[in-house]
C-alpha cells in the first residue's frame, strides 16, 4: 500500500534501504528462503483456502499504551506480509511477483515509520514487542508483557509455508486473509486510538487493503478460484 504522508516522513528521517535481502536480515535474521520459477497445476476451485493460521488481531483495551500495543502488533503483522511476499518475488506468473515486491516495499516503509513513532512516543518502552498482560493496566507500561511467540505467529499469519507448486495460490489466498486481519486492526484503532497519526494511518490501511483485496480476488479468478469466503471482509471496506 502507498500513503501520501510516508514519503515526506521518511525523507526527513533518512532514506530507507529497500534492498530486500539486507532489510529482511535486519527485520528477521532467521528468515532465509529460496525462490524458484514454476508452472502451476490447475487448482481445484472447491478446495478450502490454504491454512495461514488464526489472526490474533485484538491488542487490548483503549488506554495510554494502546498506540504502543497497536504499533507492535502491526509491525509483526507487516513482517508476516514481507516474509510471505518473498516466496513469489521472482515468479513467472503475470503480475504476481510485482505485487509481492510492491507489498514488500510499502510495508517495509510502514515498519520503518512505526518504529520511529514508537521511539518518539514511548521512549521508556522495552525494546521487545509488547502485549497486554493478563489483568494489566492499559494506561501503564507496567501493565504490559513481552509478546509471546504464539501471539507473534498469530499476528504474522504465516501458517505452513508453500510448496514450489502451490505458492501462487498460497500467496494470493494468504495475503487476502492477511489484509483482512489488517482491516480488523485498523477498525480497532479507529475505535480506540485518539492519536491523529494512528487514526490517519488506520484509514489509509483500510483504503489500500480493500483495493488490494479486490486485486487479489481478480488474480485468484485467473487461477480459476472464486470462493465465497474471499468476500468475508467486505463489511470492513467501509470507513
Amino acid at each position: 500500500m502507498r500513503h501520501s504522508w510516508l514519503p515526506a516522513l521518511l525523507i526527513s528521517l533518512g532514506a530507507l534501504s529497500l534492498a530486500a535481502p539486507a532489510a529482511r536480515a535486519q527485520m528477521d535474521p532467521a528468515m532465509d528462503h529460496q525462490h524458484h520459477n514454476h508452472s502451476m497445476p490447475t487448482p481445484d476451485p472447491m478446495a478450502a483456502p490454504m491454512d495461514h493460521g488464526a489472526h490474533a488481531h485484538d491488542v487490548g483495551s483503549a488506554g495510554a499504551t494502546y498506540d504502543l500495543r497497536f504499533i507492535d502488533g502491526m509491525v509483526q503483522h507487516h513482517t508476516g506480509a514481507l516474509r510471505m511476499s518473498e516466496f513469489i518475488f521472482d515468479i513467472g506468473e503475470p503480475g504476481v511477483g510485482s505485487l509481492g515486491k510492491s507489498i514488500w516495499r510499502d510495508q517495509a516503509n510502514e515498519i520503518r515509520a512505526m518504529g520511529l513513532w514508537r521511539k518518539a512516543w514511548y521512549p521508556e518502552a522495552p525494546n521487545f514487542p509488547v502485549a497486554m498482560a493478563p489483568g494489566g493496566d492499559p494506561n501503564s507500561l507496567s501493565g504490559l508483557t513481552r509478546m509471546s511467540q504464539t501471539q507473534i505467529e498469530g499476528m504474522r499469519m504465516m501458517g505452513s509455508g508453500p510448496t514450489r507448486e502451490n505458492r501462487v495460490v498460497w500467496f494470493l489466498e494468504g495475503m487476502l486473509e492477511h489484509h483482512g486481519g489488517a482491516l480488523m486492526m485498523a477498525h480497532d484503532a479507529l475505535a480506540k486510538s485518539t492519536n491523529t497519526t494512528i487514526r490517519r494511518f488506520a484509514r489509509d490501511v483500510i483504503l489500500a487493503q480493500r483495493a488490494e483485496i479486490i486485486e487479489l480476488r481478480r488474480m485468484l479468478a485467473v487461477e480459476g478460484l472464486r470462493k465465497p469466503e474471499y468476500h468475508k471482509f467486505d463489511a470492513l471496506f467501509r470507513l
Side-chain angles (χ1 to χ4, degrees):
M1 76 186 78
R2 292 187 179 142
H3 305 310
S4 59
W5 46 267
L6 272 171
L9 173 64
L10 294 172
I11 289 171
S12 67
L13 293 162
L16 170 66
S17 170
L18 294 179
R24 172 170 58 90
Q26 291 177 356
M27 293 173 191
D28 198 342
M31 188 62 184
D32 184 17
H33 292 306
Q34 298 294 321
H35 307 295
H36 308 275
N37 289 329
H38 76 288
S39 297
M40 280 292 296
T42 303
D44 178 1
M46 299 306 292
M50 296 178 190
D51 177 26
H52 283 267
H55 181 260
H57 63 274
D58 187 0
V59 298
S61 305
T65 65
Y66 177 83
D67 296 329
L68 172 62
R69 288 176 271 124
F70 174 82
I71 287 170
D72 283 2
M74 190 62 85
V75 165
Q76 293 303 320
H77 186 77
H78 276 19
T79 299
L82 266 59
R83 294 175 64 174
M84 290 169 63
S85 297
E86 289 164 4
F87 280 105
I88 47 84
F89 270 2
D90 301 316
I91 209 157
E93 292 279 334
V96 177
S98 61
L99 176 62
K101 289 178 181 178
S102 175
I103 289 172
W104 199 102
R105 286 192 301 268
D106 294 342
Q107 302 218 356
N109 275 335
E110 292 179 5
I111 287 173
R112 168 74 168 169
M114 286 186 285
L116 296 171
W117 298 339
R118 191 186 198 275
K119 289 180 181 178
W121 301 341
Y122 298 97
E124 302 303 319
N127 61 5
F128 49 77
V130 299
M132 279 287 294
D137 180 358
N139 292 301
S140 173
L141 291 176
S142 64
L144 305 177
T145 187
R146 182 189 288 266
M147 192 179 291
S148 70
Q149 189 59 37
T150 298
Q151 289 171 313
I152 289 173
E153 290 173 1
M155 283 293 178
R156 292 187 179 187
M157 294 185 71
M158 283 287 294
S160 56
T163 65
R164 181 179 177 183
E165 289 72 26
N166 74 4
R167 59 183 172 149
V168 168
V169 174
W170 177 91
F171 171 76
L172 295 175
E173 287 192 336
M175 197 57 68
L176 193 153
E177 289 287 326
H178 207 270
H179 282 5
L183 289 175
M184 288 187 278
M185 292 184 72
H187 279 285
D188 191 65
L190 289 176
K192 296 176 182 176
S193 178
T194 59
N195 184 305
T196 56
T197 299
I198 292 294
R199 293 179 63 81
R200 183 175 59 207
F201 173 78
R203 291 189 184 96
D204 283 351
V205 165
I206 293 168
L207 292 172
Q209 303 290 26
R210 73 187 185 190
E212 287 188 356
I213 285 174
I214 291 169
E215 177 64 8
L216 289 163
R217 290 198 298 232
R218 185 194 67 77
M219 289 183 170
L220 284 161
V222 171
E223 298 290 330
L225 297 168
R226 298 176 176 83
K227 301 176 185 178
E229 50 264 49
Y230 295 164
H231 294 266
K232 66 183 179 181
F233 300 113
D234 287 8
L236 300 176
F237 286 1
R238 296 189 299 272
L239 277 170

